[in-house]
Amino acid sequence: MAVSGFEGFEKRLELRFSTTNNNPMGLRLIDFESLDQVLNEVQCTVVSAVANHSFDAYVLSESSLFVYPTKIIIKTCGTTQLLKSIRPFIHLARTLSLTLRACRYSRGSFIFPKAQPFPYTSFKDEVVIVEESLPNSLRYRKASVMTPSNNNNNHSRAWHVFTASADVAPDEPLVVVEVCMTELDRVNVRSFFRRKGDGKNSDSAGKEMTRLSGIDMINANAFICDFAFDPCGYSMNGVDGDRYSTIHVTPEDGFSYASFECGLSLYDDGHGDISEVLTRAIDVFRPDCVSVATTYGGEDYDHEVTKRVERVLAKKLGLKCRSRLVDEFPGSGTVVFQSFTPRRKYYSPEGGEQ
Amino acid sequence: MGSNVSSVHDVPSSAETKNGLVVEMESRRQWRSLFDSMKGSNKLLVIDFTAAWCGPCKAMEPRVKEIVSRYPEAVFARVDVDRFMDVAGTYRANTLPAFVFVKRGEEIDRVVGAKPDELVYKIEKHRV
Protein backbone atom coordinates (compact mmCIF):
# COMPACT_ATOMS: atom_id res chain seq x y z
CA MET A 1 0.00 0.00 0.00
CA ALA A 2 1.25 3.48 -0.83
CA VAL A 3 1.86 5.91 2.01
CA SER A 4 -0.44 8.46 0.48
CA GLY A 5 -2.43 8.92 -2.69
CA PHE A 6 -5.82 9.80 -4.06
CA GLU A 7 -8.74 8.56 -2.01
CA GLY A 8 -11.07 6.62 -4.25
CA PHE A 9 -13.60 5.61 -1.60
CA GLU A 10 -16.64 7.80 -1.93
CA LYS A 11 -19.02 9.39 0.51
CA ARG A 12 -22.58 8.98 -0.67
CA LEU A 13 -25.60 11.05 0.17
CA GLU A 14 -29.17 10.36 -0.88
CA LEU A 15 -32.02 12.77 -0.18
CA ARG A 16 -35.64 11.87 -0.90
CA PHE A 17 -38.42 14.41 -1.00
CA SER A 18 -42.19 14.55 -1.18
CA THR A 19 -44.06 17.16 -3.12
CA THR A 20 -47.17 19.15 -2.24
CA ASN A 21 -47.77 20.36 -5.78
CA ASN A 22 -48.03 18.22 -8.86
CA ASN A 23 -45.04 19.48 -10.79
CA PRO A 24 -43.57 16.42 -12.50
CA MET A 25 -40.14 18.01 -12.80
CA GLY A 26 -39.62 18.61 -9.08
CA LEU A 27 -35.94 18.97 -8.21
CA ARG A 28 -35.00 19.08 -11.88
CA LEU A 29 -36.25 22.66 -11.82
CA ILE A 30 -33.31 23.72 -9.66
CA ASP A 31 -31.35 26.09 -11.87
CA PHE A 32 -27.85 25.14 -12.76
CA GLU A 33 -26.21 28.17 -11.13
CA SER A 34 -27.64 27.08 -7.78
CA LEU A 35 -26.47 23.50 -8.28
CA ASP A 36 -23.03 24.76 -9.23
CA GLN A 37 -22.86 26.80 -6.04
CA VAL A 38 -23.64 23.76 -3.90
CA LEU A 39 -20.98 21.77 -5.73
CA ASN A 40 -18.56 24.59 -5.08
CA GLU A 41 -19.16 24.19 -1.34
CA VAL A 42 -18.46 20.49 -1.68
CA GLN A 43 -15.30 21.32 -3.66
CA CYS A 44 -16.11 19.72 -6.98
CA THR A 45 -17.39 20.74 -10.39
CA VAL A 46 -19.35 19.37 -13.36
CA VAL A 47 -17.17 17.91 -16.11
CA SER A 48 -19.86 16.23 -18.19
CA ALA A 49 -23.62 15.72 -18.08
CA VAL A 50 -26.58 14.12 -19.78
CA ALA A 51 -30.34 13.89 -19.23
CA ASN A 52 -33.38 11.90 -20.33
CA HIS A 53 -37.09 12.04 -19.50
CA SER A 54 -36.49 10.57 -16.05
CA PHE A 55 -33.45 12.27 -14.55
CA ASP A 56 -30.34 14.42 -14.94
CA ALA A 57 -26.91 12.83 -14.58
CA TYR A 58 -23.81 14.90 -13.89
CA VAL A 59 -20.25 13.60 -13.95
CA LEU A 60 -18.27 15.56 -11.38
CA SER A 61 -14.57 16.20 -10.98
CA GLU A 62 -14.93 13.94 -7.94
CA SER A 63 -17.67 11.43 -8.84
CA SER A 64 -21.35 11.98 -9.63
CA LEU A 65 -24.65 13.75 -9.05
CA PHE A 66 -28.08 12.46 -10.05
CA VAL A 67 -31.16 14.64 -9.93
CA TYR A 68 -34.55 12.95 -10.14
CA PRO A 69 -37.83 14.83 -9.60
CA THR A 70 -37.97 13.78 -5.93
CA LYS A 71 -34.53 12.35 -5.26
CA ILE A 72 -30.93 13.54 -5.23
CA ILE A 73 -27.98 11.18 -5.15
CA ILE A 74 -24.54 12.70 -4.76
CA LYS A 75 -21.37 10.71 -4.46
CA THR A 76 -17.95 12.31 -4.02
CA CYS A 77 -14.46 10.98 -3.39
CA GLY A 78 -11.08 12.44 -2.53
CA THR A 79 -11.25 14.89 0.37
CA THR A 80 -14.52 16.55 -0.60
CA GLN A 81 -16.88 18.09 1.93
CA LEU A 82 -20.00 16.22 0.89
CA LEU A 83 -22.07 16.91 3.99
CA LYS A 84 -21.94 20.65 3.32
CA SER A 85 -24.45 20.02 0.53
CA ILE A 86 -27.28 18.87 2.83
CA ARG A 87 -28.55 22.23 4.00
CA PRO A 88 -28.35 23.96 0.59
CA PHE A 89 -30.16 21.06 -1.13
CA ILE A 90 -32.94 21.10 1.49
CA HIS A 91 -33.27 24.86 1.06
CA LEU A 92 -33.38 24.70 -2.75
CA ALA A 93 -35.99 21.94 -2.56
CA ARG A 94 -38.12 23.98 -0.20
CA THR A 95 -38.24 26.85 -2.69
CA LEU A 96 -39.86 24.34 -5.06
CA SER A 97 -42.37 23.19 -2.41
CA LEU A 98 -40.53 19.93 -1.85
CA THR A 99 -40.15 18.56 1.67
CA LEU A 100 -37.37 16.25 2.78
CA ARG A 101 -38.69 12.89 3.92
CA ALA A 102 -35.60 10.64 4.01
CA CYS A 103 -31.84 10.88 4.07
CA ARG A 104 -29.18 8.24 3.72
CA TYR A 105 -25.43 8.74 4.17
CA SER A 106 -23.06 5.86 3.51
CA ARG A 107 -19.44 5.08 2.83
CA GLY A 108 -16.85 2.33 3.02
CA SER A 109 -13.54 2.62 4.90
CA PHE A 110 -11.00 5.09 3.56
CA ILE A 111 -7.70 3.87 2.22
CA PHE A 112 -6.09 7.02 3.71
CA PRO A 113 -8.30 7.87 6.69
CA LYS A 114 -5.79 10.33 8.15
CA ALA A 115 -5.87 12.44 5.00
CA GLN A 116 -9.56 13.26 5.47
CA PRO A 117 -10.63 16.64 6.82
CA PHE A 118 -13.02 17.01 9.76
CA PRO A 119 -15.64 15.55 10.23
CA TYR A 120 -14.62 12.65 7.98
CA THR A 121 -11.94 11.52 10.42
CA SER A 122 -14.58 9.69 12.41
CA PHE A 123 -18.01 8.35 11.50
CA LYS A 124 -19.38 9.56 14.83
CA ASP A 125 -18.49 13.12 13.87
CA GLU A 126 -20.04 12.71 10.43
CA VAL A 127 -23.27 11.49 12.01
CA VAL A 128 -23.37 14.52 14.32
CA ILE A 129 -23.01 16.83 11.33
CA VAL A 130 -25.69 15.03 9.31
CA GLU A 131 -28.13 15.02 12.23
CA GLU A 132 -27.63 18.73 12.81
CA SER A 133 -28.51 19.42 9.18
CA LEU A 134 -31.77 17.48 9.17
CA PRO A 135 -35.22 18.66 10.25
CA ASN A 136 -36.81 17.02 13.30
CA SER A 137 -39.56 15.59 11.12
CA LEU A 138 -37.11 12.85 10.15
CA ARG A 139 -37.78 11.02 13.40
CA TYR A 140 -36.59 7.51 12.59
CA ARG A 141 -32.82 7.52 12.68
CA LYS A 142 -30.13 4.87 12.81
CA ALA A 143 -26.36 4.81 12.49
CA SER A 144 -24.52 1.56 11.97
CA VAL A 145 -20.97 0.46 11.24
CA MET A 146 -21.14 -2.96 9.65
CA THR A 147 -17.79 -4.54 10.43
CA PRO A 148 -16.79 -7.95 9.11
CA SER A 149 -15.53 -10.05 11.98
CA ASN A 150 -13.07 -12.21 10.07
CA ASN A 151 -9.49 -11.48 10.92
CA ASN A 152 -7.73 -13.62 8.36
CA ASN A 153 -6.51 -10.67 6.30
CA ASN A 154 -6.21 -6.93 6.56
CA HIS A 155 -8.76 -6.43 3.83
CA SER A 156 -11.62 -6.12 6.27
CA ARG A 157 -13.29 -2.87 5.45
CA ALA A 158 -16.38 -1.75 7.28
CA TRP A 159 -19.51 -0.25 5.75
CA HIS A 160 -20.90 2.86 7.43
CA VAL A 161 -24.56 3.81 7.13
CA PHE A 162 -26.68 6.54 8.64
CA THR A 163 -30.36 6.81 7.76
CA ALA A 164 -33.09 9.19 8.81
CA SER A 165 -36.69 9.03 7.73
CA ALA A 166 -40.05 10.66 8.36
CA ASP A 167 -41.84 7.31 7.92
CA VAL A 168 -40.92 3.93 9.25
CA ALA A 169 -41.97 2.11 6.07
CA PRO A 170 -39.38 2.15 3.29
CA ASP A 171 -40.71 3.13 -0.11
CA GLU A 172 -37.87 3.21 -2.60
CA PRO A 173 -38.79 0.73 -5.31
CA LEU A 174 -35.30 0.35 -6.69
CA VAL A 175 -32.59 -1.77 -5.15
CA VAL A 176 -29.30 0.11 -4.84
CA VAL A 177 -26.08 -1.82 -5.25
CA GLU A 178 -22.77 -0.22 -4.24
CA VAL A 179 -19.62 -2.12 -5.15
CA CYS A 180 -16.18 -1.05 -3.92
CA MET A 181 -13.10 -2.69 -5.41
CA THR A 182 -9.45 -2.36 -4.44
CA GLU A 183 -6.20 -3.99 -5.60
CA LEU A 184 -7.38 -3.92 -9.20
CA ASP A 185 -5.80 -6.22 -11.75
CA ARG A 186 -2.71 -4.43 -13.06
CA VAL A 187 -3.28 -5.37 -16.66
CA ASN A 188 -6.98 -4.47 -16.73
CA VAL A 189 -6.29 -1.16 -15.10
CA ARG A 190 -4.01 -0.03 -17.94
CA SER A 191 -7.09 0.99 -19.93
CA PHE A 192 -7.61 3.86 -17.51
CA PHE A 193 -4.31 5.61 -18.15
CA ARG A 194 -4.22 8.22 -20.93
CA ARG A 195 -1.83 7.39 -23.72
CA LYS A 196 0.70 10.18 -24.19
CA GLY A 197 0.09 12.31 -27.25
CA ASP A 198 -3.17 10.59 -28.09
CA GLY A 199 -4.50 13.89 -29.41
CA LYS A 200 -7.87 13.25 -27.80
CA ASN A 201 -9.97 15.41 -25.54
CA SER A 202 -11.29 14.04 -22.24
CA ASP A 203 -14.61 13.05 -23.79
CA SER A 204 -13.23 10.95 -26.64
CA ALA A 205 -10.50 9.51 -24.44
CA GLY A 206 -13.26 8.54 -22.01
CA LYS A 207 -15.23 6.89 -24.80
CA GLU A 208 -12.19 4.85 -25.74
CA MET A 209 -11.68 3.72 -22.13
CA THR A 210 -15.33 2.66 -21.96
CA ARG A 211 -14.90 0.50 -25.02
CA LEU A 212 -11.45 -0.94 -24.26
CA SER A 213 -12.31 -1.87 -20.70
CA GLY A 214 -15.59 -3.56 -21.61
CA ILE A 215 -17.62 -1.20 -19.45
CA ASP A 216 -20.00 -0.68 -22.36
CA MET A 217 -21.00 -4.36 -22.09
CA ILE A 218 -22.15 -4.22 -18.46
CA ASN A 219 -25.52 -2.89 -19.58
CA ALA A 220 -25.75 -2.72 -23.35
CA ASN A 221 -29.02 -0.74 -23.11
CA ALA A 222 -27.50 2.16 -21.20
CA PHE A 223 -26.24 5.39 -22.71
CA ILE A 224 -22.84 6.08 -21.21
CA CYS A 225 -21.62 9.59 -20.43
CA ASP A 226 -17.91 9.11 -19.83
CA PHE A 227 -14.89 11.22 -18.99
CA ALA A 228 -11.16 10.50 -18.84
CA PHE A 229 -8.96 12.34 -16.36
CA ASP A 230 -5.38 13.34 -17.05
CA PRO A 231 -2.96 11.56 -16.68
CA CYS A 232 -5.25 8.77 -15.48
CA GLY A 233 -8.62 8.11 -13.92
CA TYR A 234 -12.09 7.60 -15.33
CA SER A 235 -15.71 8.31 -14.53
CA MET A 236 -18.96 7.43 -16.17
CA ASN A 237 -22.68 7.75 -15.60
CA GLY A 238 -24.98 5.26 -17.30
CA VAL A 239 -28.51 6.24 -18.21
CA ASP A 240 -31.16 3.63 -19.06
CA GLY A 241 -34.76 4.78 -18.68
CA ASP A 242 -35.12 5.67 -15.01
CA ARG A 243 -32.13 3.51 -14.04
CA TYR A 244 -28.78 5.08 -13.26
CA SER A 245 -25.37 3.48 -12.98
CA THR A 246 -22.01 4.97 -12.24
CA ILE A 247 -18.38 3.88 -12.28
CA HIS A 248 -15.32 5.68 -10.97
CA VAL A 249 -11.76 4.46 -11.36
CA THR A 250 -8.53 5.43 -9.62
CA PRO A 251 -6.05 3.18 -11.40
CA GLU A 252 -2.75 3.98 -9.71
CA ASP A 253 -0.85 1.08 -8.21
CA GLY A 254 -0.71 1.17 -4.44
CA PHE A 255 -4.14 2.72 -4.03
CA SER A 256 -6.08 1.46 -7.04
CA TYR A 257 -9.83 1.64 -6.58
CA ALA A 258 -12.96 1.27 -8.63
CA SER A 259 -16.58 1.68 -7.67
CA PHE A 260 -19.69 0.51 -9.43
CA GLU A 261 -23.16 1.54 -8.37
CA CYS A 262 -26.55 1.12 -9.92
CA GLY A 263 -30.23 1.23 -9.12
CA LEU A 264 -32.20 -1.70 -10.40
CA SER A 265 -35.34 -3.67 -9.90
CA LEU A 266 -35.29 -7.33 -8.97
CA TYR A 267 -38.29 -8.06 -11.15
CA ASP A 268 -37.49 -6.43 -14.44
CA ASP A 269 -35.94 -9.10 -16.63
CA GLY A 270 -35.19 -6.71 -19.47
CA HIS A 271 -32.43 -5.06 -17.52
CA GLY A 272 -30.47 -8.11 -16.46
CA ASP A 273 -30.31 -10.10 -13.30
CA ILE A 274 -28.43 -8.48 -10.40
CA SER A 275 -25.87 -11.29 -10.24
CA GLU A 276 -25.11 -11.01 -13.95
CA VAL A 277 -24.71 -7.23 -13.78
CA LEU A 278 -22.40 -7.52 -10.77
CA THR A 279 -20.33 -10.23 -12.44
CA ARG A 280 -19.82 -8.17 -15.59
CA ALA A 281 -18.92 -5.04 -13.62
CA ILE A 282 -16.47 -6.77 -11.29
CA ASP A 283 -14.91 -8.72 -14.17
CA VAL A 284 -13.79 -5.45 -15.77
CA PHE A 285 -11.46 -4.85 -12.83
CA ARG A 286 -10.65 -8.34 -11.48
CA PRO A 287 -9.94 -6.90 -8.02
CA ASP A 288 -8.35 -8.75 -5.12
CA CYS A 289 -10.84 -7.23 -2.75
CA VAL A 290 -14.52 -6.45 -3.33
CA SER A 291 -17.34 -5.36 -1.12
CA VAL A 292 -20.98 -5.25 -2.16
CA ALA A 293 -23.51 -3.23 -0.19
CA THR A 294 -27.09 -3.77 -1.33
CA THR A 295 -30.00 -1.70 -0.07
CA TYR A 296 -33.45 -3.16 -0.44
CA GLY A 297 -35.58 -0.05 -0.08
CA GLY A 298 -38.95 -1.70 -0.51
CA GLU A 299 -40.65 -4.24 1.70
CA ASP A 300 -39.41 -7.29 -0.10
CA TYR A 301 -35.93 -8.41 0.90
CA ASP A 302 -35.32 -11.86 -0.48
CA HIS A 303 -32.43 -13.74 1.09
CA GLU A 304 -32.28 -16.04 -1.94
CA VAL A 305 -31.00 -13.13 -4.02
CA THR A 306 -28.13 -12.58 -1.59
CA LYS A 307 -27.16 -16.24 -1.70
CA ARG A 308 -27.43 -16.31 -5.47
CA VAL A 309 -25.04 -13.34 -5.80
CA GLU A 310 -22.51 -15.25 -3.68
CA ARG A 311 -22.93 -18.42 -5.76
CA VAL A 312 -22.57 -16.60 -9.08
CA LEU A 313 -19.52 -14.54 -8.02
CA ALA A 314 -17.87 -17.70 -6.70
CA LYS A 315 -18.62 -19.69 -9.83
CA LYS A 316 -17.86 -17.07 -12.46
CA LEU A 317 -15.11 -15.01 -10.84
CA GLY A 318 -13.64 -17.30 -8.21
CA LEU A 319 -14.59 -14.82 -5.50
CA LYS A 320 -15.29 -16.28 -2.08
CA CYS A 321 -17.63 -14.47 0.26
CA ARG A 322 -15.65 -13.95 3.47
CA SER A 323 -18.35 -12.15 5.39
CA ARG A 324 -22.03 -11.30 5.13
CA LEU A 325 -23.81 -8.82 7.37
CA VAL A 326 -27.46 -7.79 7.29
CA ASP A 327 -29.03 -4.85 9.05
CA GLU A 328 -32.42 -3.11 9.03
CA PHE A 329 -32.85 0.63 8.77
CA PRO A 330 -36.25 2.13 9.58
CA GLY A 331 -37.61 3.96 6.55
CA SER A 332 -34.67 2.87 4.38
CA GLY A 333 -34.95 -0.89 4.29
CA THR A 334 -32.53 -3.78 4.56
CA VAL A 335 -28.82 -3.41 3.88
CA VAL A 336 -26.73 -6.46 3.06
CA PHE A 337 -22.95 -6.04 3.19
CA GLN A 338 -20.77 -8.75 1.66
CA SER A 339 -16.97 -8.90 1.41
CA PHE A 340 -15.18 -11.06 -1.17
CA THR A 341 -11.62 -12.03 -1.97
CA PRO A 342 -10.42 -14.50 -4.60
CA ARG A 343 -10.39 -18.16 -3.73
CA ARG A 344 -6.99 -18.09 -5.40
CA LYS A 345 -5.20 -15.19 -7.06
CA TYR A 346 -5.66 -14.82 -10.82
CA TYR A 347 -2.02 -14.25 -11.71
CA SER A 348 0.07 -16.38 -9.44
CA PRO A 349 3.37 -17.57 -10.99
CA GLU A 350 3.84 -20.14 -8.27
CA GLY A 351 0.33 -21.42 -8.81
CA GLY A 352 -0.40 -21.16 -5.08
CA GLU A 353 -3.91 -21.39 -3.71
CA GLN A 354 -5.49 -19.18 -1.09
CA MET B 1 -42.68 36.84 -46.74
CA GLY B 2 -39.37 38.56 -47.05
CA SER B 3 -40.29 41.52 -44.95
CA ASN B 4 -37.78 42.39 -42.29
CA VAL B 5 -40.15 44.22 -40.03
CA SER B 6 -39.42 43.14 -36.49
CA SER B 7 -42.74 42.65 -34.82
CA VAL B 8 -43.40 40.59 -31.73
CA HIS B 9 -46.00 38.62 -33.65
CA ASP B 10 -43.93 37.62 -36.65
CA VAL B 11 -42.09 34.37 -36.79
CA PRO B 12 -38.75 35.09 -38.51
CA SER B 13 -38.61 34.09 -42.18
CA SER B 14 -37.39 30.54 -42.51
CA ALA B 15 -34.69 31.47 -44.98
CA GLU B 16 -33.16 33.92 -42.56
CA THR B 17 -30.58 32.48 -40.26
CA LYS B 18 -28.89 34.53 -37.64
CA ASN B 19 -25.22 33.94 -38.13
CA GLY B 20 -23.26 33.19 -35.02
CA LEU B 21 -26.42 32.52 -32.99
CA VAL B 22 -28.54 29.51 -32.22
CA VAL B 23 -31.92 29.85 -33.89
CA GLU B 24 -34.79 28.53 -31.82
CA MET B 25 -37.24 26.61 -33.99
CA GLU B 26 -40.71 28.04 -33.40
CA SER B 27 -42.78 26.17 -35.94
CA ARG B 28 -42.72 23.08 -38.09
CA ARG B 29 -42.86 25.29 -41.18
CA GLN B 30 -39.75 27.14 -40.05
CA TRP B 31 -37.91 23.90 -39.38
CA ARG B 32 -38.85 22.33 -42.71
CA SER B 33 -37.88 25.41 -44.67
CA LEU B 34 -34.55 25.67 -42.91
CA PHE B 35 -33.79 21.99 -43.36
CA ASP B 36 -34.78 21.98 -47.03
CA SER B 37 -32.91 25.18 -47.80
CA MET B 38 -29.70 23.64 -46.49
CA LYS B 39 -29.94 20.46 -48.51
CA GLY B 40 -28.59 22.20 -51.56
CA SER B 41 -25.48 23.63 -49.94
CA ASN B 42 -22.40 22.26 -48.29
CA LYS B 43 -23.04 24.29 -45.15
CA LEU B 44 -22.99 22.52 -41.83
CA LEU B 45 -26.28 22.35 -39.96
CA VAL B 46 -26.07 21.49 -36.25
CA ILE B 47 -29.38 20.61 -34.61
CA ASP B 48 -29.26 21.35 -30.88
CA PHE B 49 -31.91 19.16 -29.24
CA THR B 50 -33.01 20.42 -25.83
CA ALA B 51 -35.95 20.13 -23.44
CA ALA B 52 -37.43 22.02 -20.52
CA TRP B 53 -36.61 19.11 -18.22
CA CYS B 54 -32.95 18.92 -19.23
CA GLY B 55 -30.69 20.41 -16.55
CA PRO B 56 -27.49 19.56 -18.41
CA CYS B 57 -28.81 21.46 -21.46
CA LYS B 58 -29.20 24.59 -19.35
CA ALA B 59 -25.80 24.00 -17.79
CA MET B 60 -24.20 23.99 -21.20
CA GLU B 61 -26.14 26.91 -22.70
CA PRO B 62 -23.57 29.66 -22.06
CA ARG B 63 -20.79 27.54 -23.54
CA VAL B 64 -22.91 26.67 -26.58
CA LYS B 65 -23.63 30.37 -27.16
CA GLU B 66 -19.93 31.15 -27.01
CA ILE B 67 -18.94 28.25 -29.27
CA VAL B 68 -21.63 29.05 -31.83
CA SER B 69 -20.49 32.69 -32.08
CA ARG B 70 -17.10 31.45 -33.24
CA TYR B 71 -18.51 29.55 -36.22
CA PRO B 72 -20.82 31.91 -38.12
CA GLU B 73 -20.54 29.85 -41.29
CA ALA B 74 -22.42 26.95 -39.68
CA VAL B 75 -26.13 27.02 -38.89
CA PHE B 76 -27.30 26.05 -35.40
CA ALA B 77 -30.96 25.22 -34.92
CA ARG B 78 -32.39 24.57 -31.46
CA VAL B 79 -35.22 22.03 -31.39
CA ASP B 80 -37.29 21.36 -28.29
CA VAL B 81 -37.93 17.61 -28.27
CA ASP B 82 -41.33 17.91 -26.60
CA ARG B 83 -42.57 20.51 -29.09
CA PHE B 84 -41.12 18.66 -32.07
CA MET B 85 -41.57 15.05 -31.09
CA ASP B 86 -41.44 13.75 -34.66
CA VAL B 87 -38.12 15.50 -35.41
CA ALA B 88 -36.75 14.21 -32.10
CA GLY B 89 -38.01 10.77 -33.08
CA THR B 90 -36.39 10.90 -36.51
CA TYR B 91 -33.05 11.63 -34.91
CA ARG B 92 -33.62 9.42 -31.84
CA ALA B 93 -32.94 12.34 -29.52
CA ASN B 94 -33.89 10.77 -26.17
CA THR B 95 -30.74 11.51 -24.25
CA LEU B 96 -29.91 15.20 -24.14
CA PRO B 97 -28.33 17.50 -24.99
CA ALA B 98 -27.84 16.04 -28.44
CA PHE B 99 -26.05 17.96 -31.20
CA VAL B 100 -26.74 16.34 -34.55
CA PHE B 101 -24.52 17.31 -37.46
CA VAL B 102 -26.29 17.39 -40.84
CA LYS B 103 -24.91 18.05 -44.30
CA ARG B 104 -26.97 17.93 -47.47
CA GLY B 105 -29.86 16.52 -45.50
CA GLU B 106 -27.91 13.59 -44.06
CA GLU B 107 -26.70 13.06 -40.52
CA ILE B 108 -22.91 12.82 -40.47
CA ASP B 109 -22.11 12.91 -36.75
CA ARG B 110 -23.43 13.77 -33.33
CA VAL B 111 -22.38 14.73 -29.83
CA VAL B 112 -24.57 13.55 -26.99
CA GLY B 113 -24.10 15.10 -23.57
CA ALA B 114 -22.83 18.40 -22.22
CA LYS B 115 -19.42 18.05 -23.83
CA PRO B 116 -18.15 21.42 -25.07
CA ASP B 117 -14.70 20.14 -26.07
CA GLU B 118 -16.21 17.38 -28.14
CA LEU B 119 -18.65 19.81 -29.74
CA VAL B 120 -15.83 22.14 -30.79
CA TYR B 121 -13.77 19.21 -32.04
CA LYS B 122 -16.56 17.98 -34.29
CA ILE B 123 -17.53 21.42 -35.59
CA GLU B 124 -13.90 21.93 -36.58
CA LYS B 125 -13.87 18.52 -38.21
CA HIS B 126 -17.06 18.98 -40.24
CA ARG B 127 -17.25 22.68 -41.01
CA VAL B 128 -15.34 22.47 -44.28
Side-chain angles (χ1 to χ4, degrees):
Chain A
M1 267 303 167
V3 171
S4 76
F6 187 77
E7 181 63 65
F9 273 90
E10 297 101 341
K11 305 153 180 130
R12 183 188 186 277
L13 181 70
E14 182 175 317
L15 300 170
R16 298 200 297 278
F17 298 81
S18 60
T19 175
T20 48
N21 64 31
N22 285 321
N23 194 321
M25 294 226 299
L27 298 161
R28 300 181 76 183
L29 285 170
I30 298 175
D31 65 289
F32 184 71
E33 285 72 31
S34 301
L35 272 185
D36 205 21
Q37 266 180 325
V38 180
L39 294 176
N40 219 23
E41 286 282 308
V42 176
Q43 289 159 2
C44 60
T45 183
V46 173
V47 299
S48 195
V50 106
N52 69 8
H53 279 88
S54 303
F55 66 105
D56 299 318
Y58 298 91
V59 179
L60 308 176
S61 52
E62 323 249 358
S63 293
S64 293
L65 166 68
F66 299 97
V67 182
Y68 284 80
T70 57
K71 180 173 69 182
I72 288 175
I73 297 170
I74 178 166
K75 191 163 164 154
T76 62
C77 56
T79 52
T80 46
Q81 294 275 5
L82 181 63
L83 299 180
K84 286 195 173 166
S85 68
I86 300 182
R87 272 192 239 262
F89 277 140
I90 293 178
H91 169 75
L92 287 168
R94 214 176 273 139
T95 65
L96 295 167
S97 305
L98 286 146
T99 323
L100 184 70
R101 63 182 167 82
C103 166
R104 192 162 89 86
Y105 174 66
S106 59
R107 65 166 174 86
S109 299
F110 296 119
I111 299 173
F112 304 110
K114 297 203 178 79
Q116 290 292 322
F118 178 84
Y120 308 95
T121 37
S122 129
F123 188 59
K124 282 203 177 71
D125 291 334
E126 289 156 85
V127 172
V128 167
I129 298 291
V130 179
E131 295 219 78
E132 280 174 3
S133 313
L134 299 178
N136 292 335
S137 53
L138 269 58
R139 302 185 283 150
Y140 302 96
R141 304 183 178 197
K142 176 162 170 174
S144 178
V145 182
M146 301 169 78
T147 313
S149 57
N150 60 318
N151 291 319
N152 62 355
N153 56 43
N154 61 1
H155 293 310
S156 296
R157 295 207 131 83
W159 188 249
H160 308 75
V161 187
F162 170 80
T163 61
S165 178
D167 311 300
V168 75
D171 58 358
E172 172 60 64
L174 291 183
V175 173
V176 175
V177 183
E178 296 169 71
V179 183
C180 302
M181 298 169 267
T182 53
E183 293 169 60
L184 311 181
D185 180 278
R186 287 197 177 99
V187 171
N188 290 30
V189 110
R190 280 195 217 144
S191 308
F192 303 102
F193 285 84
R194 294 284 301 260
R195 288 178 293 113
K196 281 192 169 48
D198 61 11
K200 289 182 187 288
N201 59 40
S202 304
D203 302 312
S204 44
K207 211 185 209 89
E208 190 181 54
M209 290 183 182
T210 301
R211 213 177 30 87
L212 279 178
S213 61
I215 283 175
D216 54 352
M217 300 315 295
I218 297 172
N219 175 2
N221 284 336
F223 176 85
I224 293 176
C225 180
D226 39 34
F227 191 87
F229 293 91
D230 209 352
C232 63
Y234 168 91
S235 284
M236 79 76 148
N237 287 337
V239 162
D240 176 13
D242 65 345
R243 312 291 160 81
Y244 74 95
S245 59
T246 183
I247 291 179
H248 301 280
V249 187
T250 301
E252 292 102 314
D253 197 31
F255 49 95
S256 66
Y257 172 84
S259 66
F260 169 76
E261 175 182 336
C262 70
L264 44 73
S265 162
L266 295 178
Y267 306 111
D268 194 354
D269 298 316
H271 290 86
D273 165 68
I274 181 177
S275 308
E276 300 300 322
V277 172
L278 283 177
T279 302
R280 285 195 288 266
I282 296 171
D283 198 28
V284 168
F285 303 99
R286 300 238 160 176
D288 271 356
C289 189
V290 190
S291 74
V292 180
T294 312
T295 304
Y296 296 85
E299 302 276 6
D300 37 20
Y301 169 61
D302 183 359
H303 196 58
E304 283 311 309
V305 176
T306 296
K307 292 198 289 187
R308 183 176 147 75
V309 165
E310 288 167 20
R311 274 197 313 271
V312 173
L313 291 185
K315 177 163 174 234
K316 295 205 170 170
L317 298 178
L319 287 169
K320 187 160 156 57
C321 183
R322 307 293 178 179
S323 116
R324 181 209 302 151
L325 299 164
V326 184
D327 205 349
E328 296 278 335
F329 293 81
S332 278
T334 306
V335 173
V336 179
F337 180 59
Q338 297 152 297
S339 304
F340 302 81
T341 57
R343 216 181 297 116
R344 64 172 196 277
K345 284 191 187 288
Y346 293 109
Y347 298 97
S348 176
E350 305 84 9
E353 301 243 339
Q354 277 201 325
Chain B
M1 279 298 192
S3 161
N4 283 338
V5 170
S6 55
S7 149
V8 294
H9 302 291
D10 284 356
V11 170
S13 160
S14 56
E16 272 175 31
T17 57
K18 298 192 175 80
N19 292 340
L21 293 176
V22 182
V23 183
E24 180 85 43
M25 292 295 106
E26 302 285 353
S27 74
R28 184 148 284 105
R29 186 163 49 102
Q30 182 193 18
W31 161 250
R32 275 256 64 93
S33 293
L34 172 66
F35 186 80
D36 291 340
S37 72
M38 294 205 61
K39 270 189 188 168
S41 85
N42 221 19
K43 276 180 112 184
L44 176 63
L45 165 64
V46 181
I47 314 172
D48 173 8
F49 286 102
T50 62
W53 38 256
C54 175
C57 299
K58 301 189 188 86
M60 202 181 166
E61 227 171 88
R63 280 302 304 271
V64 173
K65 198 166 164 181
E66 181 265 323
I67 290 169
V68 166
S69 69
R70 289 194 267 144
Y71 300 96
E73 71 276 17
V75 174
F76 294 84
R78 180 162 287 142
V79 173
D80 182 302
V81 302
D82 292 318
R83 290 185 61 191
F84 296 87
M85 285 173 65
D86 52 344
V87 182
T90 302
Y91 291 98
R92 295 168 340 271
N94 305 308
T95 307
L96 304 183
F99 301 89
V100 177
F101 293 67
V102 176
K103 254 196 189 166
R104 298 193 176 274
E106 297 291 323
E107 174 180 345
I108 55 171
D109 211 341
R110 66 169 63 199
V111 174
V112 181
K115 295 174 173 288
D117 292 342
E118 192 70 347
L119 180 61
V120 168
Y121 171 73
K122 293 201 169 175
I123 293 172
E124 290 277 344
K125 183 177 174 192
H126 295 298
R127 60 202 272 237
V128 169

